[in-house]
Amino acid sequence: MSIRYSSESVISGAQFVAVLNASTLGERRPVEDLARMQTMIDNADLIVTAWDGAKLVGVARTITDWSYAAYLADLAVDQSYQKQGIGRQLIAVTREKLGAQCSLVLLAAPAAADYYAKVGFDWIENGWQIKRTN
Ligand SMILES: CC(C)(COP(=O)(O)OP(=O)(O)OC[C@H]1O[C@@H](n2cnc3c(N)ncnc32)[C@H](O)[C@@H]1OP(=O)(O)O)[C@@H](O)C(=O)NCCC(=O)NCCS
């Protein structure tokens, strides 16, 4: 299977919702609020997508200043395409686009708690967060 990766493709909020639902990450995102999902797409700085022909099968959505820090806000691969290296490649393209000056941090979903060590991330114990209230 030949998967194409893109950091230029523009996707809609509806496409974003579809791939998150296909991955199961939709359970942990406000997918019922399409306007909010569209805003998440519109205001992201880097969206790397994976395509099987015309079908969107994976996405990595990052917020960054392109110079020091980056936050990997969503990483999702369609369940029928998982464990084929697509997530790893989405991260690789994201890192390549960010360059060496940016660190990349994330909040792991429970289902992916053991994943990130396999794809180059170090676990950090000095992370803190203020949770969203809505
Ligand atoms: C987590 C996710 C993005 C991984 O994508 P993927 O394309 O299946 O991952 P890869 O094929 O690149 O996997 C790379 C390695 O991690 C392993 N792996 C994949 N998913 C894993 C998981 N959930 N937990 C632990 N290891 C995992 C693979 O077996 C592979 O191991 P190998 O190098 O020894 O062969 C995908 O499973 C997904 O979308 N999950 C649901 C949504 C989610 O939880 N996203 C993360 C939000 S923080």
Side-chain angles (χ1 to χ4, degrees), residues 9-77:
S9 301
V10 177
I11 61 168
S12 67
Q15 284 177 298
F16 184 41
V17 167
V19 73
L20 292 198
N21 283 336
S23 79
T24 74
L25 189 61
E27 294 164 12
R28 306 179 60 82
R29 297 294 183 270
V31 290
E32 70 294 339
D33 186 344
L34 187 55
R36 189 174 181 186
M37 298 299 289
Q38 184 67 53
T39 301
M40 288 161 67
I41 287 291
D42 291 344
N43 292 329
D45 298 298
L46 173 61
I47 296 177
V48 181
T49 44
W51 301 85
D52 179 11
K55 182 178 172 158
L56 176 64
V57 299
V59 64
R61 188 179 72 92
T62 299
I63 296 156
T64 184
D65 55 24
W66 298 105
S67 186
Y68 189 74
Y71 171 59
L72 180 57
D74 304 298
L75 176 72
V77 174

Side-chain angles (χ1 to χ4, degrees), residues 47-107:
I47 296 177
V48 181
T49 44
W51 301 85
D52 179 11
K55 182 178 172 158
L56 176 64
V57 299
V59 64
R61 188 179 72 92
T62 299
I63 296 156
T64 184
D65 55 24
W66 298 105
S67 186
Y68 189 74
Y71 171 59
L72 180 57
D74 304 298
L75 176 72
V77 174
D78 186 315
Q79 277 189 293
S80 10
Y81 290 81
Q82 289 180 8
K83 307 224 164 144
Q84 297 176 37
I86 295 174
R88 188 191 292 278
Q89 190 58 27
L90 287 168
I91 292 167
V93 175
T94 297
R95 290 181 65 187
E96 181 193 322
K97 291 287 164 191
L98 291 171
Q101 290 188 328
C102 277
S103 65
L104 185 58
V105 299
L106 62 84
L107 299 171

Side-chain angles (χ1 to χ4, degrees), residues 83 88 106 108-121 123:
K83 307 224 164 144
R88 188 191 292 278
L106 62 84
D114 297 327
Y115 175 68
Y116 291 102
K118 295 184 181 169
V119 290
F121 284 78
W123 185 76

